[in-house]
Amino acid sequence: MTSSSSPSQDNKRSYPEGLRADALMEEDVAWSLDTDGERDGDQFDRSERAALRRVAGLSTELEDVTEVEYRQLRLERVVLVGVWTSGTAKDSENSLAELAALAETAGALVLDGVIQRRDKPDAATFIGSGKAMELRDIVLETGADTVICDGELGPGQLIALEDVVKVKVIDRTALILDIFAQHAKSREGKAQVALAQMQYMLPRLRGWGQSLSRQMGGGKGGGLATRGPGETKIETDRRRIREKMAKMRREIAEMKTGREIKRQERKRHKVPSVAIAGYTNAGKSSLLNRLTGAGVLVENSLFATLDPTVRRAETPSGRLYTLADTVGFVRHLPHHLVEAFRSTMEEVGESDLILHVVDGSHPAPEEQLAAVREVIRDVGATGVPEIVVINKADAADPLTLQRLMRNEKHSIAVSARTGQGIEELLALIDTELPRPSVEVEVLVPYTHGQLVARAHADGDVISEEHTAEGTLLKARVHEELAADLAPYVPAPLV
């Protein structure tokens, strides 16, 4: 079964003579200030991200310029290949379409896509030797320079398939790691991606010729005084990668301390936390901007934002809480990334409430829900209350919305683009956030007004009355504040 997408228009352009040579990539024109400005807010790193896509200064200038040479950045031209082992044909096509979106996010040009029906992937070449020969013909016909497989391939499968198709072969895991490496901006994010890449590379190192030669063993001065064959070059590379991985883990553990201190400070002040989790490109950052005006990057691409963002928010009743945007998930998320980003994903496990965002306009939203919940289980956050937020309700099929809301009892349909359902979502968050457990009725002297202020900020004030002796307060508060208010409990009437 083959599904093809026509190649994009030829990249060559004609320029008038005499113009200075600048090689520019096409700007993303899907975002407009008039349409999306209110929803997305001030996106502080959009201009920076756009600037990174501009490639300038590729031409060489001499003192006396008589000719101008135009150069253009050449994208990798890829062919996608998937193996359909279970489910329907539509499911396999959706998976390959998602792989195409990942490839385009990484900067590749998708030329064709093929699917092979098998009971299980071939142990040697992933798709079988005969289909691998057909794939080689497709590569030659389209002029592709890379093949991307929709799955995680073993080292032997990568080598065997490359030997047949004669071009570079990568798998879904390597593609996702490459996207993460492009989009990581913080020091911790870059370190986490580097660790995941090294974990992926370690069993896939290969060498040839002198790369497999052995180093001189021990002894005095070398020569005939050797103790053995020594280690090969590839063994040396593996040892160095293991040493770098150990160093990277130590650095990530040190950076993790800062986030834990901030989290403990929020807990000490009894500030509830809400984590936004969901499939990549489901609209998590748009929802964060709509709820808090955070100004984080919003882009119609996969894994546009990787670094977690924590913002202060307030419920309609005036209760303060924190809202954290986490990294997006995807089907078959590489376990290397789950391990490397575990410290970042702990924001989900340590939260008091999870807003599980799903794209209501996606062809298979139930698969998105299942993929995200699998990762949530991996990070040990199954006990945290969850609200399923069905985003993009303005573009979703009404029947799909009804089906989702019928299957997910604790769900709400919203649109971060238009603001539909946002007020109802805020009210639902207010209802679901944990409330203080101790109910007190005290008479606080006016000289201790700071206790009344703390009750308003950290607790739920049921009633408040100003009397001649002080403020008569009835509220639900946390145990720590209840202990501070205990001396002011009025004596019972005899």
Side-chain angles (χ1 to χ4, degrees), residues 421-437:
I422 296 298
E423 295 297 328
E424 292 82 357
L425 176 60
L426 288 170
L428 189 56
I429 293 173
D430 196 359
T431 305
E432 293 296 324
L433 281 179
R435 296 185 175 274
S437 56

Side-chain angles (χ1 to χ4, degrees), residues 301-318:
S301 65
L302 306 184
F303 302 113
T305 50
L306 293 184
D307 302 316
T309 303
V310 180
R311 289 292 183 268
R312 176 177 172 176
E314 188 174 328
T315 65
S317 64

Side-chain angles (χ1 to χ4, degrees), residues 30-41:
W31 188 92
S32 68
L33 180 62
D34 295 337
T35 306
D36 303 320
E38 180 183 353
R39 178 193 79 217
D40 299 337

